[in-house]
Amino acid sequence: MILIICITFAVFGVILGFSAIYFRVEGDPIVDKIEAILPQTQCGQCSFPGCRPYAEAIAAGDADINQCPPGGQDGVEALADLLGVEAKPLNAEFGEEKPKSVAVIIEDLCIGCTKCIQACPVDAILGSAKMMHTVIADECTGCELCVDPCPVDCIVMEPIPEDLNNWQWPEPVKKYA
Amino acid sequence: MKFSTVMSPHLQPVNSVDRVMLQVLLALIPGIAAMTWFFGIGVLINIALAVVVALLAEASILGLRGRPIGSTLKDLSAVVTAVLLAISLPVIAPWWITVVGILFAIVIAKHLYGGLGYNPFNPAMAGYVLLLVSFPMQMTAWLAPIELGSVALNEVDWLKLIFLEQLPANIEFDAITMATPLDSVRTQLGLGRSVPEIKTDSVFGLLAGKGWEWVAGGYLIGGLWLMWRKIIGWQIPVGLLLGLGLFASICYAIDNNQFAAPSFHLVAGATMLGAFFIATDPVTAATSVNGRLIYGLLIGSLVYIIRVWGGYPDAMAFAVLLANLTAPAIDYFTRPRVFGQKA
Amino acid sequence: MLKTWRFHGGLRLPAHKNLSAHRPIVNAELPKQLTYPLQQRPGVQLKATVAPGDTVLRGQIIADSDHFLATPLHAASSGTVKSIEDRIIPHPSGLSDPCIIIDTDGHDEALPPEPVEDYRLEPAATLRSKIRQAGIVGLGGAAFPTSIKLNPGPQRHIDTLILNGAECEPYITCDNVLMQAEPDAIVQGALILMHALQVGDGIIAVEDHMTEAFQALSAAIEQSRDRRLTVVKIPALYPTGGEKQLIRVVTGKETPSGGIPADVGVICQNVGTAAAVYNAICRGLPLTERVVTVTGQGLKQQQNMRARIGTPISDLINQCGGYQDSVERLIMGGPMMGFALPEDDIPIVKATNCILAAAGSEVATSKETRPCIRCGDCAKACPVDLLPQQLYWHSRAGNLEKCKEFSLFDCIECGCCEVVCPSQIPLVQYYRAAKSKTIAKAKEAEKAAIAKRRHDFLLERKAREQAERAERSRRKKEALAKLKAAETATEGAE
């Protein structure tokens, strides 16, 4: 009797082992799913050099899910849902959730040094040496990585104003949670 | 000129929870009047007691939860629960039965789940079942109708009976209590008599028990008025009565000595009360229109099954609670087809 | 008698139409200033074709755009362009946006009209182009460009034109009085539309209480001697005037979810739009005025007014005798789907069918919202047969996936559910917020995908540059090494 059980388990173990090798999926799909939730700001506030490294760290268990300020609390909850863990509040050590902004170069002050162009993770700044630099507003993710490198402090972050194109119907005031 | 902006729709709502609950209370009046006529004012004392305790309990819980007390109590839902529980209890039940039952119903079965609209189980029935299971003796001591020769009690006697559990000197407990018609049928069938024989007992009137059938008639009138006012839909009452009636008819046709007539089942016990007032509680019932029909049929069938083959003479409370469990599933399977989409 | 069908749900609402229905249309006085918001639809911003200081004539185009959903704006009277500046626009957000402000000169000179001789000789494309140039959009409230609607494309075969004369919202009577005053214009407009669409079947639908309008239209059809057009009475049930519901009632067909009426072979136009088409084609007049119902117990007088587009609402209110003390809210549109305005200096636009100055007794001033008691009345009233309860639970929880599962975007925001809810829950607000959030999330996801692609490309580019640099330095080293080897060889040789 015990022998039969042992043999059955051994057979299933072999089948499982084969399947693990034979049907292996290349790449790690969970990392892709985590990355799809992240806002792709590539700002580094999470202490990783971009959204993909952060996603990989979460999948490996090296990072917590609440380190991404641009993703906001919504992002934390979406990650919690995906990974089946408890949602927690955004970790203030990594930054605060701020209203979305875009970088704007004050053209009078720009000296054409290209330091900001090198810093931008999505190539959203147009310009070259000794030429005027300008931020392509539509491509700017608001990561703020260009602000510090500028030697003349000519980049400011301006919050995106509310206009007819991004206005949202307000939620009703919920009296009780 | 400047104006305040509010979102559409701007028309005044046509209905309110307060009005719905008030009309339910009004519809209960004929049945309660019949009960008072045939069984004395005990039921009124129970109702008053239950309502007071219910309101106090709800106010305390709302205070603990930090919710506005005045406006929430105004919705009368606690009053309706209290009245429904009080009229389901035996009229001579001691005061503490009513109090325990209503406290359980309001505090645990309603507010611990989140308050109005969030409870999965009918609070009045949950309270009733708690009492029935925990205190079977007090919950099965039913008063005989006055016309059957039991001694009439005056107001003071009633108050003493309910609050002090004392009977007047010359009256014995056994003299005033009597089994309900459903109970009678059940025990007598167990003793080997046949249904036509049992029906000749003095307990029985035209269709069901003397006095009790008038009470059922009162609830029927109230229920029909509620349907006419569109406070309740026809699906649950018709479903329930149909489920019960059909099941009873089939069994009666097979063997009319062992099974009571459908007319008996439809009138006896809590059938009318349940069909129009208890099963129709919107919070715990199925929501979709077809779902409600299924829900009613389910309760009707369960009532019959438990009455005939189960362990209790009347089954409305258990049937309703069991059907409450299935309400979400019924809703899931009866979703309507959206306009412009394929089924 | 044409057969009619029914749709699920709907509400019988108190009509309040007698306030304005039985008076003839009054011509509004020419306003001192006309204001024209430049944003026509979400994402469609017109460019002004005039500059401050320019003189304009009535019927002159003052703004246009290349966007395929844009229609030109015309000045409604002659005058001078004062400025192009931000003003509060008639939009539920109450935001400001650039507007063209024109000071009228009182002469009301117009551009010479260019009517079409015989529209029956014109190809459909020409008619559509003329309709577009006349600035005609749907006057029922949605303001969709009519020329686009008339061009459903070769994939869709149209066989019926329906004219929507079913004003289902309470208080609004502008279509009713227009049908009584100008039935010929409407009938001719219908025939022009039918020619442009090449359809053989036209139905004008009116509500069953509009007997005078029905008679006027029947007489006009008789006179036109065109048998392809019929008038039909349909039950007055809100929201039977909604396009999809109207098509269901008149033809029995259900517009597929996510589709348009052209998918079932029907094109629906408002009766006012038909009259505007007639004016544009046969009289050569662009769209510069429309009939507006100015009503509500908050006014001293209620009437239908023929007003120039761009007229400030305060002008129209003054011509109705001004406000009563009891006025509580100013609504553009009807009481079910109209939006409240923060002030009355706002201009009317092409889509404005009604200005409702409601007294406190006519609107819900405070709602006693209670928890949902799962009564199911909302689902019974929904004309789209949705489950408003489920949408409420899920949008309240922020569960947008579940909202999509329950067909959130099929909701027409008619408000039936909210009006019948005994717990007085502001249901439509939840749905609108959920829809906004879903759209915003989709936009964000799109932006994030683009940012990711740019970032990936940047990483790739940097890696490539590094590899090239490494390659170059390797070659240099090699070349140097060769040179060194050659030198030492020659040195050695020497």
Side-chain angles (χ1 to χ4, degrees):
Chain A
M1 187 57 201
I2 298 180
L3 198 59
I4 296 176
I5 295 177
C6 286
I7 294 179
T8 321
F9 281 10
V11 167
F12 278 116
V14 169
I15 295 178
L16 276 174
F18 252 122
S19 319
I21 299 172
Y22 189 65
F23 292 114
R24 182 178 182 72
V25 174
E26 275 316 318
D28 199 342
I30 193 72
V31 177
D32 290 335
K33 287 192 196 144
I34 295 175
E35 201 194 350
I37 294 177
L38 297 176
Q40 303 300 327
T41 314
Q42 318 292 352
C43 59
Q45 284 181 71
C46 54
S47 80
F48 293 90
C51 300
R52 177 102 194 154
Y54 179 43
E56 287 165 358
I58 294 178
D62 292 332
D64 209 348
I65 59 172
N66 61 349
Q67 298 175 202
C68 176
Q73 191 60 37
D74 277 349
V76 177
E77 289 180 14
L79 285 171
D81 255 341
L82 173 70
L83 300 169
V85 296
E86 275 294 306
K88 18 182 119 156
L90 205 52
N91 190 339
E93 275 177 40
F94 293 94
E96 275 176 16
E97 188 175 1
K98 290 193 273 217
K100 288 213 175 347
S101 345
V102 290
V104 178
I105 290 176
I106 304 174
E107 300 195 339
D108 288 343
L109 302 173
C110 176
I111 58 172
C113 69
T114 76
K115 290 235 165 73
C116 60
I117 297 180
Q118 293 162 41
C120 178
V122 289
D123 275 340
I125 304 186
L126 213 52
S128 75
K130 297 275 167 50
M131 306 280 195
M132 179 60 65
H133 298 347
T134 191
V135 176
I136 308 171
D138 277 345
E139 307 294 353
C140 173
T141 62
C143 71
E144 303 191 23
L145 286 175
C146 56
V147 181
D148 285 338
C150 176
V152 291
D153 262 338
C154 77
I155 305 190
V156 291
M157 300 302 298
E158 278 181 6
I160 299 179
E162 193 189 36
D163 64 17
L164 284 177
N165 287 322
N166 60 19
W167 177 77
Q168 288 187 39
W169 284 97
E171 291 229 27
V173 173
K174 281 188 231 166
K175 280 208 237 166
Y176 316 124
Chain B
M1 181 161 165
K2 300 248 186 286
F3 296 91
S4 61
T5 52
V6 178
M7 299 225 207
S8 70
H10 303 279
L11 283 185
Q12 273 156 358
V14 298
N15 209 351
S16 74
V17 171
D18 317 7
R19 275 189 33 213
V20 169
M21 295 293 163
L22 185 62
Q23 292 184 78
V24 170
L25 289 173
L26 291 176
L28 283 168
I29 291 180
I32 298 178
M35 238 172 134
T36 319
W37 179 266
F38 286 102
F39 296 94
I41 64 163
V43 68
L44 298 176
I45 300 175
N46 279 339
I47 290 176
L49 181 61
V51 168
V52 167
V53 175
L55 289 173
L56 283 174
E58 184 149 285
S60 329
I61 282 279
L62 289 171
L64 282 174
R65 289 177 74 195
R67 301 267 199 265
I69 298 180
S71 58
T72 313
L73 287 182
K74 219 160 56 97
D75 71 14
L76 297 180
S77 56
V79 175
V80 171
T81 308
V83 172
L84 285 176
L85 180 62
I87 61 184
S88 312
L89 300 174
V91 293
I92 51 175
W95 63 274
W96 51 269
I97 286 273
T98 315
V99 170
V100 168
I102 195 66
L103 279 179
F104 181 79
I106 297 286
V107 175
I108 298 185
K110 182 176 165 192
H111 276 280
L112 248 55
Y113 281 100
L116 178 68
Y118 293 96
N119 46 301
F121 294 108
N122 190 315
M125 291 300 102
Y128 181 88
V129 164
L130 172 86
L131 293 173
L132 187 58
V133 167
S134 317
F135 310 109
M137 224 183 71
Q138 284 82 356
M139 290 295 286
T140 48
W142 295 86
L143 191 67
I146 294 179
E147 61 183 273
L148 286 184
S150 83
V151 184
L153 299 167
N154 65 24
E155 289 78 16
V156 180
D157 293 334
W158 269 112
L159 286 168
K160 278 205 191 143
L161 175 57
I162 289 179
F163 288 101
L164 302 173
E165 299 186 58
Q166 279 172 9
L167 277 166
N170 52 337
I171 299 175
E172 280 296 320
F173 198 67
D174 289 333
I176 55 168
T177 57
M178 185 186 259
T180 59
L182 276 172
D183 210 1
S184 279
V185 169
R186 204 192 167 74
T187 9
Q188 301 295 327
L189 276 175
L191 291 176
R193 298 171 69 195
S194 75
V195 166
E197 269 180 63
I198 302 174
K199 287 297 276 291
T200 56
D201 281 355
S202 60
V203 171
F204 294 92
L206 198 59
L207 292 169
K210 285 208 187 93
W212 286 111
E213 51 196 1
W214 287 101
V215 174
Y219 291 136
L220 176 64
I221 293 176
L224 290 174
W225 180 75
L226 278 184
M227 267 169 56
W228 177 70
R229 296 279 304 175
K230 295 214 168 76
I231 303 287
I232 60 178
W234 61 267
Q235 284 85 4
I236 297 183
V238 167
L240 197 154
L241 296 175
L242 204 62
L244 182 56
L246 273 180
F247 217 138
S249 308
I250 295 173
C251 292
Y252 185 69
I254 295 177
D255 180 359
N256 66 345
N257 282 328
Q258 281 294 93
F259 299 104
S263 55
F264 173 74
H265 276 287
L266 286 176
V267 175
T271 312
M272 287 298 164
L273 178 65
F276 292 97
F277 294 92
I278 298 181
T280 52
D281 171 34
V283 179
T284 50
T287 322
S288 60
V289 162
N290 294 336
R292 285 189 168 163
L293 201 53
I294 299 175
Y295 178 80
L297 286 168
L298 180 65
I299 298 183
S301 320
L302 281 172
V303 165
Y304 188 77
I305 293 173
I306 302 177
R307 273 184 186 171
V308 174
W309 293 289
Y312 287 89
D314 197 3
M316 184 57 64
F318 292 108
V320 166
L321 291 179
L322 284 172
N324 287 157
L325 277 173
T326 67
I330 294 178
D331 277 339
Y332 182 80
F333 287 110
T334 53
R335 279 157 63 163
R337 179 191 69 88
V338 173
F339 181 95
Q341 287 183 17
K342 306 241 166 32
Chain C
M1 254 330 277
L2 271 184
K3 176 176 179 195
T4 54
W5 284 258
R6 290 170 54 199
F7 57 86
H8 177 267
L11 285 181
R12 234 165 260 292
L13 294 173
H16 298 288
K17 305 224 184 213
N18 291 326
L19 287 176
S20 55
H22 301 297
R23 297 209 193 99
I25 305 177
V26 166
N27 281 327
E29 287 162 22
L30 208 53
K32 297 248 171 6
Q33 227 179 42
L34 291 165
T35 312
Y36 294 97
L38 283 174
Q39 174 143 63
Q40 213 170 44
R41 311 176 63 73
V44 182
Q45 187 91 359
L46 298 176
K47 289 197 200 48
T49 53
V50 293
D54 290 355
T55 39
V56 292
L57 295 174
R58 179 179 183 180
Q60 180 175 340
I61 293 183
I62 56 175
D64 202 351
S65 158
D66 284 333
H67 196 287
F68 81 102
L69 281 177
T71 29
L73 259 183
H74 300 77
S77 187
S78 56
T80 322
V81 177
K82 171 170 176 237
S83 58
I84 302 178
E85 57 187 40
D86 277 4
R87 289 278 175 97
I88 298 185
I89 57 168
H91 187 267
S93 62
L95 292 171
S96 303
D97 217 49
C99 300
I100 301 178
I101 322 274
I102 298 180
D103 283 328
T104 53
D105 57 16
H107 300 307
D108 207 19
E109 278 173 61
L111 277 180
E114 291 171 14
V116 168
E117 280 294 327
D118 188 351
Y119 69 86
R120 284 166 291 196
L121 302 174
E122 304 287 341
T126 317
L127 291 176
R128 283 200 298 268
S129 163
K130 286 224 82 159
I131 288 174
R132 183 200 181 272
Q133 284 309 103
I136 298 184
V137 295
L139 296 182
F144 191 80
T146 306
S147 56
I148 305 286
K149 213 175 200 183
L150 291 175
N151 193 6
Q155 309 284 23
R156 299 181 175 107
H157 173 72
I158 311 294
D159 48 54
T160 315
L161 170 77
I162 296 182
L163 282 198
N164 189 346
E167 263 174 330
C168 54
E169 274 213 64
Y171 292 96
I172 308 183
T173 53
C174 57
D175 288 345
N176 190 356
V177 297
L178 185 71
M179 288 190 281
Q180 291 175 50
E182 295 179 21
D184 293 301
I186 295 174
V187 167
Q188 289 303 318
L191 294 173
I192 297 172
L193 290 168
M194 282 164 68
H195 174 80
L197 288 168
Q198 300 286 305
V199 298
D201 201 9
I203 306 174
I204 308 181
V206 300
E207 285 194 332
D208 49 20
H209 58 86
M210 299 179 176
T211 30
E212 300 96 341
F214 183 83
Q215 282 163 1
L217 285 170
S218 307
I221 294 177
E222 269 288 318
Q223 254 197 338
S224 74
R225 296 188 203 290
D226 200 313
R227 291 181 165 271
R228 298 172 299 162
L229 203 50
T230 31
V231 201
V232 69
K233 279 197 195 164
I234 57 177
L237 185 69
Y238 178 81
T240 200
E243 195 175 54
K244 298 187 175 177
Q245 279 66 38
L246 184 67
I247 292 173
R248 165 90 188 140
V249 171
V250 174
T251 64
K253 297 184 190 163
E254 278 189 19
T255 311
S257 157
I260 57 174
D263 291 333
V264 286
V266 177
I267 298 278
C268 195
Q269 293 284 6
N270 179 271
V271 287
T273 315
V277 165
Y278 164 77
N279 283 328
I281 302 288
C282 298
R283 294 173 64 199
L285 300 172
L287 181 61
T288 52
E289 62 182 17
R290 65 158 297 153
V291 181
V292 181
T293 308
V294 188
T295 182
Q297 301 275 18
L299 291 178
K300 297 239 168 67
Q301 220 190 1
Q302 296 84 19
Q303 55 199 0
N304 279 293
M305 307 179 74
R306 196 184 301 279
R308 302 292 169 96
I309 298 188
T311 307
I313 293 172
S314 47
D315 268 30
L316 299 175
I317 304 278
N318 288 336
Q319 288 168 54
C320 287
Y323 296 108
Q324 302 269 23
D325 288 332
S326 56
V327 71
E328 171 76 31
R329 209 172 294 172
L330 187 64
I331 298 169
M332 181 175 283
M336 291 296 283
M337 292 179 75
F339 53 91
L341 298 169
E343 56 181 44
D344 58 10
D345 276 328
I346 297 175
I348 62 164
V349 289
K350 291 177 183 172
T352 309
N353 52 3
C354 176
I355 300 292
L356 174 59
S361 55
E362 296 179 300
V363 290
T365 35
S366 66
K367 284 190 182 177
E368 183 95 67
T369 303
R370 297 205 183 282
C372 167
I373 60 169
R374 299 170 43 96
C375 64
D377 282 353
C378 52
K380 284 193 206 138
C382 180
V384 189
D385 223 343
L386 297 171
L387 290 172
Q389 215 184 71
Q390 297 291 343
L391 288 175
Y392 164 67
W393 289 122
H394 295 304
S395 53
R396 189 187 155 107
N399 193 341
L400 299 173
E401 282 299 317
K402 272 277 178 179
C403 283
K404 204 167 104 177
E405 194 189 305
F406 284 99
S407 310
L408 173 68
F409 280 90
D410 278 291
C411 168
I412 61 175
E413 297 175 27
C414 64
C416 285
C417 52
E418 188 166 329
V419 166
V420 295
C421 176
S423 294
Q424 303 185 3
I425 300 172
L427 292 167
V428 187
Q429 273 188 54
Y430 280 100
Y431 308 150
R432 289 194 182 119
K435 284 185 189 176
S436 278
K437 268 218 276 202
T438 310
I439 295 175
K441 271 219 163 102
K443 278 201 195 140
E444 263 176 47
E446 228 183 272
K447 273 200 102 177
I450 294 177
K452 177 170 163 58
R453 282 213 306 272
R454 290 182 80 90
H455 181 65
D456 285 345
F457 184 76
L458 180 143
L459 290 175
E460 210 186 307
R461 172 172 68 85
K462 287 228 158 92
R464 197 173 9 111
E465 282 172 5
Q466 208 166 12
E468 277 172 14
R469 240 177 283 137
E471 177 67 22
R472 250 179 286 143
S473 77
R474 189 187 63 83
R475 278 209 212 108
K476 268 219 176 96
K477 283 215 182 89
E478 246 176 56
L480 267 173
K482 270 201 193 129
L483 214 58
K484 271 246 163 74
E487 272 178 23
T488 43
T490 49
E491 269 176 18
E494 280 168 8

